[in-house]
């Protein structure tokens, strides 16, 4: 097997026609799961056979067990957000480790709720109202045995992480505008926390200030004044 490593630690397999290109799938999987995940996209572009492997459950199951050995002892949980197959579980645990720095019984649930919320907000063409999404997070944590207060705390962490990791594009600007203008009329814990609502306005008035037209700015500002008193002076002035 021939490997080349450059100074940025990227690892590239040489020609797929050499000995590694003729290995059976189960041996390729054992090799691939030992390569940093940052190199997987590059590997999947080398050969169609390899691209197919990265779509297979068997590779992701092997990667899941290797990277998170205790996952085999985890029980399936009740609630509206399912675990999914190995690729989904791997992604959820990776998110929990690198975004939330968790290493306990909550780790996989946090990753799955993060994926659920971000996908509904970003990928869905017509996202459900924020109240419905927040309620789903609350129901999931309560179904897993968390108190109402703990569920609200965890759901707020999910919202803040998703908001902080949105891309800086027009889609995000329009999404944040919609979130800012939505009223939270449901009782605790099914209403978004003050911190989450504040973060939406803060991101709009700092990262996306130049995207507003005058009318939209006034609408969002009026909503901010209605929800928070006082508001930062930096939010004022179009």
């Amino acid at each position: 097997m021939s490997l080349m490593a450059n100074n940025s630690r990227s690892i590239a397999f040489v020609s797929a026609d050499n000995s590694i290109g003729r290995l059976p799938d189960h041996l390729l999987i054992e090799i691939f799961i030992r390569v940093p995940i940052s190199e997987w996209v590059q590997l999947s572009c080398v050969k169609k056979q390899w691209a197919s492997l990265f779509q297979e459950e068997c590779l992701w199951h092997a990667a899941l067990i290797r990277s998170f050995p205790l996952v085999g002892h985890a029980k399936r949980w009740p609630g509206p957000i399912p675990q999914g197959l190995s690729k989904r579980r791997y992604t959820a645990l990776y998110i929990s480790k690198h975004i939330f720095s968790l290493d306990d019984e909550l780790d996989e649930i946090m990753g799955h709720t993060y994926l659920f919320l971000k996908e509904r907000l970003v990928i869905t063409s017509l996202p459900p109202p924020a109240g419905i999404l927040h309620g789903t997070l609350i129901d999931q944590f309560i179904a897993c045995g968390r108190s109402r207060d703990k569920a609200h705390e965890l759901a707020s962490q999910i919202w803040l992480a998703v908001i902080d990791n949105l891309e800086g594009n027009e889609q995000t600007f329009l999404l944040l505008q919609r979130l800012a203008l939505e009223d939270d009329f449901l009782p605790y814990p099914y209403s978004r926390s003050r911190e989450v609502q504040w973060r939406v306005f803060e991101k709009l008035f700092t990262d996306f200030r130049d995207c507003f037209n005058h009318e939209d700015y006034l609408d969002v500002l009026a909503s901010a004044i209605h929800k928070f008193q006082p508001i930062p002076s930096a939010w004022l002035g179009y």
Side-chain angles (χ1 to χ4, degrees):
M1 175 174 58
S2 298
L3 294 174
M4 296 185 301
N6 60 21
N7 292 333
S8 64
R9 297 180 61 193
S10 66
I11 300 173
F13 281 82
V14 296
S15 173
D17 294 327
N18 65 9
S19 58
I20 192 174
R22 296 191 292 271
L23 289 175
D25 286 355
H26 71 279
L27 291 181
L28 286 173
I29 287 173
E30 290 301 318
I31 294 170
F32 292 162
I33 64 175
R34 288 164 171 78
V35 175
I37 191 172
S38 59
E39 306 294 336
W40 286 10
V41 172
Q42 184 178 351
L43 283 176
S44 67
C45 295
V46 172
K47 193 176 181 181
K48 287 184 178 180
Q49 175 199 2
W50 296 9
S52 297
L53 278 180
F54 280 99
Q55 302 298 320
E56 295 292 334
E57 169 73 7
C58 54
L59 182 143
W60 286 99
H61 179 73
L64 181 66
I65 298 301
R66 177 176 171 78
S67 298
F68 306 100
L70 298 180
V71 75
H73 303 290
K75 297 180 180 179
R76 291 196 174 273
W77 53 73
I81 303 176
Q83 282 183 333
L85 298 178
S86 295
K87 182 177 181 179
R88 183 76 171 188
R89 298 187 69 190
Y90 184 99
T91 306
L93 285 161
Y94 186 89
I95 287 170
S96 294
K97 181 177 180 180
H98 291 87
I99 293 182
F100 299 103
S101 300
L102 292 174
D103 190 21
D104 57 24
E105 72 278 5
L106 275 175
D107 54 5
E108 190 172 352
I109 299 173
M110 290 292 283
H112 281 288
T113 50
Y114 176 95
L115 286 171
F116 168 84
L117 181 59
K118 188 165 187 180
E119 289 172 352
R120 295 307 184 279
L121 289 175
V122 176
I123 298 177
T124 307
S125 56
L126 293 173
I132 292 177
L133 295 175
H134 183 74
T136 303
L137 303 186
I138 296 294
D139 287 343
Q140 179 60 64
F141 288 123
I142 290 177
C144 291
R146 300 310 185 269
S147 67
R148 288 159 55 89
D149 289 344
K150 188 63 176 180
H152 193 257
E153 175 190 336
L154 294 172
S156 295
Q157 291 181 31
I158 298 296
W159 272 102
L160 293 172
V162 169
I163 291 169
D164 288 345
N165 284 280
L166 292 172
E167 295 184 11
N169 55 30
E170 183 181 6
Q171 181 185 6
T172 295
F173 170 65
L174 295 174
L175 169 64
L176 291 173
Q177 261 193 285
R178 186 176 64 80
L179 294 176
L181 296 173
E182 282 190 30
D183 288 324
D184 285 80
F185 56 88
L186 295 173
Y188 178 89
Y190 289 97
S191 57
R192 291 172 296 166
S193 69
R194 179 182 176 88
E195 185 180 6
V196 169
Q197 296 182 63
W198 181 278
R199 187 69 60 86
V200 170
F201 287 102
E202 183 179 51
K203 201 168 183 68
L204 276 170
F205 289 128
T206 54
D207 297 353
F208 294 95
R209 192 179 190 87
D210 294 338
C211 298
F212 281 109
N213 61 42
H214 189 251
E215 183 178 354
D216 289 342
Y217 169 77
L218 292 178
D219 286 342
V220 173
L221 182 62
S223 181
I225 293 172
H226 173 71
K227 294 178 180 180
F228 306 105
Q229 282 290 355
I231 63 172
S233 59
W235 292 6
L236 300 173
Y238 173 69

